[in-house]
């Protein structure tokens, strides 16, 4: 089946065969990244990176 694609994390770019995580519009965020995002403070340097990755999805950049 072709649902592997849906478990390709858009944050860390890793394939998650167990599918643990959250699926959004046209992408997937693995459990690890989801937890990291939740823990990441707005003032953290990583935060803009997460937002950037998320925006790409919500803007429908998916080919
Ligand atoms: Zn991830």
């Amino acid at each position: 089946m072709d649902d592997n694609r849906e478990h390709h994390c858009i944050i860390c770019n890793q394939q998650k065969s167990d599918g643990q995580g959250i699926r959004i519009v046209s992408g997937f965020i693995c459990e690890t990244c989801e937890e990291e995002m939740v823990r990441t403070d707005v003032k953290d340097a990583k935060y803009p990176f997460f937002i950037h990755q998320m925006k790409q999805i919500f803007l429908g950049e998916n080919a």
Side-chain angles (χ1 to χ4, degrees):
M1 288 302 154
D2 188 47
D3 75 340
N4 275 353
R5 218 155 38 107
E6 296 176 26
H7 297 143
H8 180 241
C9 178
I10 48 90
I11 305 292
C12 65
N13 272 319
Q14 282 182 46
Q15 196 82 29
K16 300 289 178 176
S17 52
D18 59 2
Q20 290 295 310
I22 48 169
R23 264 169 61 178
I24 50 172
V25 190
S26 59
F28 171 78
I29 298 176
C30 75
E31 207 175 30
T32 312
C33 291
E34 187 195 345
E35 279 173 18
E36 206 178 337
M37 283 178 76
V38 170
R39 281 200 310 264
T40 302
D41 192 89
V42 183
K43 285 169 282 186
D44 196 290
K46 259 186 169 177
Y47 199 79
F49 169 74
F50 285 136
I51 298 299
H52 177 75
Q53 298 293 88
M54 296 284 284
K55 267 187 187 163
Q56 290 191 328
I57 292 162
F58 289 118
L59 290 177
E61 205 210 53
N62 193 29

